[in-house]
Structure formats: C-alpha cells, structure tokens
Amino acid sequence: MTDWSEQTQQARNWFEELRNRICAEFESIEREAGSDAAFEYTDWQREEEGNTDPGGGTRAVMKGKVFEKVGVNVSTVRGNFAPEFAGTINGASADNPGFSATGISLVAHMANPHVPAVHMNTRFLTTQSAWFGGGADLNPPIPYAEDTEQFHARFRAACSAHNPTYYDRFKKWADEYFFIPHRGVHRGVGGIFYDHLECPDTAGFERNLAFTRDVGEAFLDIFPKLVRRRMAAEFTPQDKQAQLEWRGRYAEFNLVYDRGTLFGLKTGGNIDAILMSLPPEAVWS
Amino acid sequence: MTDWSEQTQQARNWFEELRNRICAEFESIEREAGSDAAFEYTDWQREEEGNTDPGGGTRAVMKGKVFEKVGVNVSTVRGNFAPEFAGTINGASADNPGFSATGISLVAHMANPHVPAVHMNTRFLTTQSAWFGGGADLNPPIPYAEDTEQFHARFRAACSAHNPTYYDRFKKWADEYFFIPHRGVHRGVGGIFYDHLECPDTAGFERNLAFTRDVGEAFLDIFPKLVRRRMAAEFTPQDKQAQLEWRGRYAEFNLVYDRGTLFGLKTGGNIDAILMSLPPEAVWS
C-alpha cells in the first residue's frame, strides 16, 4: 500500500487555497451589493475511538445580502471505516477499513430567486486505492438557458483540457446522480460529477490533481459571473415562493440520496458541516 | 395462508371512520378560531405492473388558521413487493412477495409554536403473516410538561386496558424509534410505537383491532384538548423562529430515517401522500 500522506497534504493545501479565494470573491460580491457580510470560520475536530489523530475540518458560513446562506467546508480526516460501511467503499473492506479523505464542499443558497443556487465539491480519498472525485451542479429555481449554457461550457473547457472523454462522461454522470427518483425530476440543470478517478501512482496523482484544480478554477471563474448578472434583478413574492418550494426538493435530495451526506454521517463527520448544504428556509406545499 | 381480505376491509372501515371523525373535529377547532378552513380530499391510484387492482388512497389536507398544515392519508394497497425489498419485510421474501396494507397516517404542523405538532399512524399488514402496527408521538417546538404528561397518560390508559406490558414496551419503542442519531436528540417528547402485533388467527385480529381502535380514540380524545389549551397563546417572532428550526429536525428525521416514508417510496405509494408529513415551512440556521 502506497503512503499517500504527502499527496493528501498537497491536495489539502489546494482545497484550502481554493476555499480562501472563493470566500474572498463571495465577500467582494457582498461589498458590491452594499453589504459587509463576511464568512465566519468554525474549526471542528473529528472523534474516533482509539484514533489519536482522526482529523477534522473548518466550516465557513456567510449569511449575506446576496448569499442568503453559503457554506464552504474543508475537512481532512483519517481512520478506519465502521466494518459494515467499509465494504461499500472503493478499495476498503472489513479487513482493510483504513482510509483518509481531504476535500472541499460548497453549497450556496441565494437570496434572489433569479440567481442560481450552486454546489461544488472535490475530494481526494485513499484506502487500498487512491482517487479523486468531485463535481459541480447548478440549481436555479428559475432557470435561464444562457446561465445553464455558460456553466456547462466552462466545465466542458476544464474537462477537455485534460481528457476528450471527461465532459461527456461526467456530464452524464451528473444527470444520473443529481436526480430525485421519487419525484422523477432532476434537482437542477446539471453540471459534472466524477468519482473513482484512480491514481495508480504519483504521476497519476499529479494528473488528477491538475484536473481537480481546474474544476475548482472553472467554478471560481463562472459562478461569480452568473451571480453578478442577476443579483439585482427584481423578483415577486411568487418568485420567492417558487424558490422556497424548489428548496424543499433540494433538501429531499440531500437527505434521502446524497452520498456525501451519507459518507459524513457514517464516518463521524461534523453534523453542522454535513448538513450545511440544507437551505436556510424551505417550504413544502 | 389465511385469506385476510375480510379483516382488511374491516380495518379499512375503521381507519376511514376515524379519519372522518378527526377531520370533523379539526374543522370544528378552526371554526372556534374564526376560520372556515376545511379539508380538501384527493384520491390517488397506485400503479403496479401486471396488477389490475393495486389499490390507492385518499389524501386529506387542510391549511387553516390553527392547523398551518395537517394531512391525513388513508390508503389500502395490495400487490407484490419488489424482490430486493421483500426480504426486509416480516413474513415476506423474494419467493413470497405478496402483501396487502391498509392504514391511516396523520401529521399536523401547527401555526402557533406553543401548540405541539403531532403524528399518529395505525395500520394492518398482511404477508405470510398478518399484524398491526402504529403509534403516536408529540412534537412540541416549545414543550410543556403538562401537555407531555397528559398525552402519555392518555395512551397509557389505552394500552393498559389491553395488556399490562403494552405501555412500557411501546413507550420505550417510541423513545428508540423517534430519535435522530446524527443529532443525538429525540425528535419530540415521545408517545407510543408498536409493530408486528401479530394476528395468529381471526380472534387475534379482533383483539389487535380493538387495541388499534383504542389508540385512535386516545388520539382523538387528547390531542384536540392540547390544541385548544394553547391555540390562542401569544408568541414572539423568536418563538416562531424556534419552531421553524425545530421543523428542520423533523424533516431530517422523516427523510433520513422514517420507515413509513421508505415503505411508501419502495411500494409505489403516492409521493404527495408520502411526503405530506413534511412541514409547510422549515429553516436550517
């Protein structure tokens, strides 16, 4: 089994740098809207019996004028999966339950229903295998074809720079993953989703980290443009109501189906960080 | 295998009678508060491939002045469980996936945060076995010891009339069941929960139906008293906010853990009926 601790640190450094740049950019947007909202950072420690260094993370949350609620969590954890959970994870088993994971996870719920909500997450995991995963998807309560196209185009460009098959595969994966079976609807207008992007060796790690960095860069490039485009748009009480109902669907997806939520709950993650993705307010009619 | 169709009809008749009496009582409460709110009834048909008589149900929903949102669903369904689900159900298997189920399910979310929300559900299921299940639990955003005691006392009386062990067992079961592991908190102040109350023969059916009727009667006796006690109480915006946050926990429980939700989703139930339990509005801070 390769020792991936150096690579895990390298991935973690990138996730923290990306978090810092995203938070600075989102705070700039709040300034432009005349708000002095800022992220509040809270460290949390993971606990695992018999594990003296189980890791933890930092939850950053801002409640602003443009960003009704945005959370960015960076965590780096290590230890052993619970035996019954280990068998469900790539490269792990009840006999080999050891793992490490570092990642960034972001969900933004916007005040203005014309501005799309968004999710972005990238991560590096090691068990007996080592791999990257991640993705980003756009969740407009009121969809605009222009926004959807530009969001996809930017991720298509990021994917194509690394592998000609990535965009088609990862877009399709997002369409399949971000789907609410009991409603028979997609939770948003898609994006990309990838997992088990295996690192056979350190060169493979470098390649996959470079791609994962470009996914983060693509997000940081395109999402603020979409926010600035619509953050001052007028909206009606009916628009806001539609947004709140739409957020009910979003909460259903995250609580019933989302793998990241399950992973967090099963590995003793911080409950506030795991459920940070839930909307600030939702309605069910 | 006993033919339980006559007993299923008998249970169904009771559930529908109970629904009618509850809805009438809740509408009376609205009248007392000066509102003319009434239940709206929507029939729904279940679909199952190759099943010409899969059953269905009736969803009754009222949005009033006292009852911000209350849903009462009565459904009677029959068919075959999906093979991978059959093995998880008492008396069923991939080889014997046949089942029937009839039941009433009620969730009330109240406008005034001093008034407790409540859940009540009773049901009769048949596979190779036949059994009753059900329960009721009180979910006050702002708990009052007096309400909690009287709610429990009423169900204790209903239980004790049938079996001296029922209340202790079923109260404990509710404490275990209505618990949110990821938060480490109970979702409310408890009540009773029972399942697999087996009917070895028709005499056993009669005994268990009599108990299940008394659970319904207990609910109809005690809950309106608690509503009337507090429905005119003054509350602050902070009280309402506390209620909305508390409802976020309630939604988490129902979407992540609730067996009834899972049963409905896995057996092609009506999505609006299944998710009727979700609060009209919730917040996550």
Side-chain angles (χ1 to χ4, degrees), chain B residues 135-152:
Chain B
D137 73 310
L138 198 67
N139 299 274
I142 301 168
Y144 292 93
E146 183 188 10
D147 296 2
T148 302
E149 275 166 33
Q150 291 176 4
F151 187 81
H152 277 279

mmCIF file of all heavy atoms in Angstrom, chain B residues 135-152:
data_model
loop_
_atom_site.group_PDB
_atom_site.id
_atom_site.type_symbol
_atom_site.label_atom_id
_atom_site.label_comp_id
_atom_site.label_asym_id
_atom_site.label_seq_id
_atom_site.Cartn_x
_atom_site.Cartn_y
_atom_site.Cartn_z
ATOM 1 N N GLY B 135 -48.799 3.985 16.158
ATOM 2 C CA GLY B 135 -48.257 4.789 17.239
ATOM 3 C C GLY B 135 -48.640 6.238 17.072
ATOM 4 O O GLY B 135 -49.317 6.627 16.114
ATOM 5 N N ALA B 136 -48.205 7.012 18.038
ATOM 6 C CA ALA B 136 -48.450 8.451 18.012
ATOM 7 C C ALA B 136 -47.352 9.099 18.831
ATOM 8 O O ALA B 136 -46.925 8.545 19.845
ATOM 9 C CB ALA B 136 -49.816 8.774 18.614
ATOM 10 N N ASP B 137 -46.861 10.236 18.363
ATOM 11 C CA ASP B 137 -45.871 10.945 19.187
ATOM 12 C C ASP B 137 -46.089 12.443 19.091
ATOM 13 O O ASP B 137 -46.587 12.960 18.093
ATOM 14 C CB ASP B 137 -44.431 10.547 18.844
ATOM 15 C CG ASP B 137 -43.946 11.105 17.527
ATOM 16 O OD1 ASP B 137 -44.662 10.949 16.518
ATOM 17 O OD2 ASP B 137 -42.848 11.691 17.495
ATOM 18 N N LEU B 138 -45.753 13.105 20.177
ATOM 19 C CA LEU B 138 -45.997 14.532 20.332
ATOM 20 C C LEU B 138 -44.697 15.287 20.059
ATOM 21 O O LEU B 138 -43.636 14.886 20.542
ATOM 22 C CB LEU B 138 -46.481 14.805 21.772
ATOM 23 C CG LEU B 138 -47.194 16.131 22.028
ATOM 24 C CD1 LEU B 138 -48.541 16.160 21.293
ATOM 25 C CD2 LEU B 138 -47.416 16.331 23.534
ATOM 26 N N ASN B 139 -44.809 16.385 19.295
ATOM 27 C CA ASN B 139 -43.613 17.082 18.829
ATOM 28 C C ASN B 139 -43.704 18.585 19.083
ATOM 29 O O ASN B 139 -43.846 19.374 18.155
ATOM 30 C CB ASN B 139 -43.437 16.810 17.332
ATOM 31 C CG ASN B 139 -43.251 15.335 17.047
ATOM 32 O OD1 ASN B 139 -42.146 14.822 17.101
ATOM 33 N ND2 ASN B 139 -44.345 14.634 16.790
ATOM 34 N N PRO B 140 -43.618 18.966 20.347
ATOM 35 C CA PRO B 140 -43.764 20.386 20.670
ATOM 36 C C PRO B 140 -42.472 21.169 20.415
ATOM 37 O O PRO B 140 -41.431 20.830 20.966
ATOM 38 C CB PRO B 140 -44.072 20.372 22.171
ATOM 39 C CG PRO B 140 -43.472 19.097 22.664
ATOM 40 C CD PRO B 140 -43.464 18.127 21.526
ATOM 41 N N PRO B 141 -42.533 22.219 19.598
ATOM 42 C CA PRO B 141 -41.356 23.091 19.462
ATOM 43 C C PRO B 141 -41.000 23.706 20.822
ATOM 44 O O PRO B 141 -39.846 23.901 21.133
ATOM 45 C CB PRO B 141 -41.816 24.169 18.488
ATOM 46 C CG PRO B 141 -42.994 23.593 17.771
ATOM 47 C CD PRO B 141 -43.643 22.646 18.730
ATOM 48 N N ILE B 142 -42.033 24.021 21.601
ATOM 49 C CA ILE B 142 -41.852 24.562 22.950
ATOM 50 C C ILE B 142 -42.586 23.599 23.888
ATOM 51 O O ILE B 142 -43.810 23.615 23.958
ATOM 52 C CB ILE B 142 -42.471 25.970 23.061
ATOM 53 C CG1 ILE B 142 -41.806 26.907 22.035
ATOM 54 C CG2 ILE B 142 -42.332 26.519 24.485
ATOM 55 C CD1 ILE B 142 -42.514 28.242 21.847
ATOM 56 N N PRO B 143 -41.849 22.720 24.568
ATOM 57 C CA PRO B 143 -42.527 21.674 25.340
ATOM 58 C C PRO B 143 -43.108 22.197 26.651
ATOM 59 O O PRO B 143 -42.526 23.063 27.306
ATOM 60 C CB PRO B 143 -41.397 20.670 25.639
ATOM 61 C CG PRO B 143 -40.194 21.135 24.885
ATOM 62 C CD PRO B 143 -40.386 22.593 24.594
ATOM 63 N N TYR B 144 -44.273 21.681 27.026
ATOM 64 C CA TYR B 144 -44.891 21.930 28.331
ATOM 65 C C TYR B 144 -45.071 20.584 29.025
ATOM 66 O O TYR B 144 -45.676 19.672 28.443
ATOM 67 C CB TYR B 144 -46.254 22.610 28.162
ATOM 68 C CG TYR B 144 -46.136 24.010 27.630
ATOM 69 C CD1 TYR B 144 -46.214 24.271 26.270
ATOM 70 C CD2 TYR B 144 -45.886 25.073 28.502
ATOM 71 C CE1 TYR B 144 -46.069 25.562 25.774
ATOM 72 C CE2 TYR B 144 -45.748 26.368 28.017
ATOM 73 C CZ TYR B 144 -45.837 26.602 26.656
ATOM 74 O OH TYR B 144 -45.688 27.875 26.177
ATOM 75 N N ALA B 145 -44.568 20.491 30.250
ATOM 76 C CA ALA B 145 -44.619 19.219 30.980
ATOM 77 C C ALA B 145 -46.059 18.725 31.117
ATOM 78 O O ALA B 145 -46.330 17.530 31.006
ATOM 79 C CB ALA B 145 -43.973 19.385 32.356
ATOM 80 N N GLU B 146 -46.970 19.649 31.334
ATOM 81 C CA GLU B 146 -48.387 19.298 31.494
ATOM 82 C C GLU B 146 -48.925 18.585 30.246
ATOM 83 O O GLU B 146 -49.606 17.556 30.339
ATOM 84 C CB GLU B 146 -49.156 20.616 31.726
ATOM 85 C CG GLU B 146 -50.617 20.482 31.979
ATOM 86 C CD GLU B 146 -51.315 21.865 31.995
ATOM 87 O OE1 GLU B 146 -50.677 22.883 31.616
ATOM 88 O OE2 GLU B 146 -52.498 21.904 32.361
ATOM 89 N N ASP B 147 -48.600 19.127 29.062
ATOM 90 C CA ASP B 147 -49.063 18.511 27.810
ATOM 91 C C ASP B 147 -48.448 17.122 27.642
ATOM 92 O O ASP B 147 -49.145 16.162 27.283
ATOM 93 C CB ASP B 147 -48.647 19.356 26.591
ATOM 94 C CG ASP B 147 -49.303 20.734 26.587
ATOM 95 O OD1 ASP B 147 -50.033 21.053 27.540
ATOM 96 O OD2 ASP B 147 -49.061 21.483 25.621
ATOM 97 N N THR B 148 -47.150 17.046 27.880
ATOM 98 C CA THR B 148 -46.452 15.768 27.704
ATOM 99 C C THR B 148 -47.048 14.701 28.620
ATOM 100 O O THR B 148 -47.328 13.578 28.192
ATOM 101 C CB THR B 148 -44.953 15.950 28.015
ATOM 102 O OG1 THR B 148 -44.431 16.963 27.144
ATOM 103 C CG2 THR B 148 -44.174 14.666 27.807
ATOM 104 N N GLU B 149 -47.261 15.070 29.869
ATOM 105 C CA GLU B 149 -47.811 14.107 30.834
ATOM 106 C C GLU B 149 -49.196 13.632 30.433
ATOM 107 O O GLU B 149 -49.508 12.443 30.506
ATOM 108 C CB GLU B 149 -47.906 14.742 32.230
ATOM 109 C CG GLU B 149 -46.620 14.637 33.016
ATOM 110 C CD GLU B 149 -46.624 15.560 34.225
ATOM 111 O OE1 GLU B 149 -47.711 15.779 34.807
ATOM 112 O OE2 GLU B 149 -45.543 16.073 34.565
ATOM 113 N N GLN B 150 -50.041 14.576 30.013
ATOM 114 C CA GLN B 150 -51.413 14.186 29.682
ATOM 115 C C GLN B 150 -51.472 13.343 28.403
ATOM 116 O O GLN B 150 -52.290 12.427 28.292
ATOM 117 C CB GLN B 150 -52.299 15.431 29.568
ATOM 118 C CG GLN B 150 -52.483 16.082 30.941
ATOM 119 C CD GLN B 150 -53.267 17.378 30.892
ATOM 120 O OE1 GLN B 150 -53.758 17.783 29.848
ATOM 121 N NE2 GLN B 150 -53.383 18.022 32.043
ATOM 122 N N PHE B 151 -50.603 13.667 27.457
ATOM 123 C CA PHE B 151 -50.535 12.869 26.224
ATOM 124 C C PHE B 151 -50.147 11.431 26.571
ATOM 125 O O PHE B 151 -50.807 10.472 26.180
ATOM 126 C CB PHE B 151 -49.518 13.511 25.281
ATOM 127 C CG PHE B 151 -49.449 12.914 23.903
ATOM 128 C CD1 PHE B 151 -50.378 13.267 22.924
ATOM 129 C CD2 PHE B 151 -48.447 12.014 23.571
ATOM 130 C CE1 PHE B 151 -50.298 12.740 21.639
ATOM 131 C CE2 PHE B 151 -48.363 11.472 22.291
ATOM 132 C CZ PHE B 151 -49.288 11.834 21.321
ATOM 133 N N HIS B 152 -49.075 11.300 27.354
ATOM 134 C CA HIS B 152 -48.628 9.959 27.738
ATOM 135 C C HIS B 152 -49.682 9.236 28.588
ATOM 136 O O HIS B 152 -49.928 8.046 28.398
ATOM 137 C CB HIS B 152 -47.296 10.031 28.492
ATOM 138 C CG HIS B 152 -46.120 10.114 27.563
ATOM 139 N ND1 HIS B 152 -45.577 9.006 26.950
ATOM 140 C CD2 HIS B 152 -45.392 11.168 27.123
ATOM 141 C CE1 HIS B 152 -44.562 9.373 26.181
ATOM 142 N NE2 HIS B 152 -44.418 10.689 26.264
#
